[in-house]
Amino acid sequence: MTDPAEYALELVRKAKAYRPEEGEDAVVFPILFHSGVGDPNDIRKGIEPRFGDWVTEVLEGSGDEEVDPEESFVPLAYFDSEPRWVISQAGRKGGISIPDVTLNDVRKYGQLAVIYNVDDKYGGAINEVFKIGPDGYNGGYTEVTNVYGRKMKLYETGLEEEGFQPKTLFGVEPGDIISKDSIATDVVLTGDDLVKFMRQYNKEFGLKSRRGQDMGFAENPKNRSLRQFPYDYASYLKKNFPEIWRAGGNIRGNDSFRWWTAYRRGDRSPTVMYWWNTTRPAWIARHYGDYRLPGVIAQIKWGTVGNLGVAGMKRVVEDAVKKRYAR
């Protein structure tokens, strides 16, 4: 029986070496990866367009009247030309910040469908996909790139046509590779097979984020056990409740929040990495038990979760907000 990871790597190597025959249009997406949610056994049968949980949630809460996505919007399947979504999906399923995702997390939570997208017998692409342009969604005038690299407007693609009633896309972002068609998978990787593939892929081709940053893995990074406080909550608190934000952590905490922000944005400069690997763990070890407002605010600025847990820390903050603004 063929080793699934080796088979997937063979497909990638073939796609990377692909060159069109003379007179053929080149396929610009010769390999596609899908790391979406769902039962891996179902995905092995094929990837079906669907409305993601986030899209459904937003549409359901978008107005006073309930919105039925099926009536107005086109379900889509999302793909990538690199297997990087494995990392974000594993982080999402495990509740782990993306910079902290390890190969063990990928083994536990990840899945990856690999699709070879070149018809070696007849030439051309097997599956039709489109990449959303850098300006994002702009109705029918959205710029997209088709599977042969031709730039066109969305109204030229048929993506928004569903029977006799035109429908629109929802939730697409710049750089997304999408299809409204069902697409068959060549192989779906999970567990040890996925880890083996990701290790070798990173070794042979280097795994890059959309911003071009390296996305290598560490088996046991020092900070893996140091949970991060929800950054969006901290940022909202800083912006909207400055008096509460100033309640603690005003000596090193403000610097720490800047370094935490920089780290999350991909900054791996010596200053930021020293803070992440050395200063932050040492501070957390001394202040893990803080439970009053100044200590909790300091913990938030350092991007950590104390022994109160996230819910307990939020409760301390929100009690202070109510007292402050109930006057």
Side-chain angles (χ1 to χ4, degrees):
M1 182 176 177
T2 304
D3 181 301
E6 284 299 328
Y7 177 54
L9 287 164
E10 287 174 11
L11 294 178
V12 173
R13 292 175 189 126
K14 186 164 69 166
K16 298 284 187 182
Y18 157 76
R19 299 293 182 273
E21 297 290 335
E22 186 176 352
E24 281 185 1
D25 291 330
V27 177
V28 296
F29 305 120
I31 195 83
L32 297 169
F33 300 97
H34 174 85
S35 305
V37 296
D39 186 338
N41 290 321
D42 289 338
I43 292 175
R44 287 184 176 94
K45 301 170 187 174
I47 297 166
E48 298 293 334
R50 62 188 293 271
F51 295 109
D53 295 339
W54 177 83
V55 170
T56 304
E57 181 180 338
V58 170
L59 291 176
E60 288 177 348
S62 61
D64 295 334
E65 297 183 6
E66 185 174 336
V67 177
D68 182 359
E70 297 286 346
E71 292 184 356
S72 304
F73 302 99
V74 181
L76 298 171
Y78 290 78
F79 302 90
D80 203 349
S81 56
E82 298 268 358
R84 53 193 156 210
W85 281 1
V86 167
I87 303 166
S88 57
Q89 289 287 13
R92 188 181 70 79
K93 291 178 187 177
I96 304 159
S97 178
I98 290 175
D100 287 341
V101 172
T102 69
L103 280 175
N104 284 330
D105 299 318
V106 169
R107 178 185 288 107
K108 184 175 181 181
Y109 300 110
Q111 63 186 46
L112 181 69
V114 183
I115 300 108
Y116 181 68
N117 201 35
V118 178
D119 189 329
D120 290 330
K121 185 174 181 180
Y122 297 106
I126 297 172
N127 303 289
E128 184 178 53
V129 295
F130 298 91
K131 184 175 183 178
I132 302 296
D135 296 329
Y137 184 70
N138 183 30
Y141 291 92
T142 302
E143 181 185 280
V144 301
T145 303
N146 74 359
V147 75
Y148 298 109
R150 179 188 162 206
K151 294 186 185 302
M152 57 180 63
K153 300 301 182 184
L154 187 63
Y155 68 79
E156 300 178 88
T157 67
L159 273 169
E160 293 191 322
E161 294 177 5
E162 285 280 313
F164 296 103
Q165 180 182 354
K167 298 186 179 184
T168 59
L169 306 187
F170 187 85
V172 295
E173 299 288 343
D176 284 346
I177 300 173
I178 59 174
S179 177
K180 70 170 188 177
D181 300 325
S182 299
I183 291 182
T185 60
D186 289 294
V187 60
V188 176
L189 303 171
T190 57
D192 290 337
D193 291 328
L194 177 55
V195 169
K196 178 179 178 180
F197 171 85
M198 294 297 286
R199 274 202 183 110
Q200 191 62 31
Y201 186 100
N202 198 33
K203 181 179 178 180
E204 291 187 34
F205 308 109
L207 191 58
K208 301 287 185 182
S209 71
R210 280 189 176 180
R211 295 180 180 178
Q213 298 152 347
D214 290 333
M215 295 183 72
F217 301 95
E219 291 288 355
N220 295 296
K222 293 180 181 178
N223 273 1
R224 179 60 186 85
S225 62
L226 304 180
R227 292 174 59 200
Q228 290 186 49
F229 188 83
Y231 179 84
D232 289 345
Y233 185 98
S235 182
Y236 182 86
L237 179 65
K238 179 178 185 291
K239 179 180 179 180
N240 294 281
F241 300 99
E243 298 90 349
I244 303 298
W245 186 256
R246 290 195 292 267
N250 293 311
I251 299 174
R252 296 295 305 281
N254 293 329
D255 288 336
S256 185
F257 185 74
R258 285 195 293 271
W259 290 324
W260 183 28
T261 301
Y263 183 86
R264 286 178 55 86
R265 291 175 178 171
D267 186 340
R268 298 297 185 268
S269 63
T271 298
V272 170
M273 291 310 297
Y274 184 82
W275 171 82
W276 179 256
N277 289 320
T278 304
T279 310
R280 181 174 179 265
W283 186 92
I284 290 171
R286 294 194 302 271
H287 297 276
Y288 185 78
D290 289 350
Y291 64 93
R292 298 181 186 276
L293 180 65
V296 168
I297 294 296
Q299 288 173 344
I300 291 173
K301 290 180 179 181
W302 282 81
T304 189
V305 179
N307 62 4
L308 289 177
V310 172
M313 292 171 67
K314 287 183 176 180
R315 193 158 47 245
V316 170
V317 171
E318 287 158 15
D319 285 347
V321 170
K322 289 175 184 176
K323 290 178 183 177
R324 171 89 187 178
Y325 292 95
R327 298 172 185 172

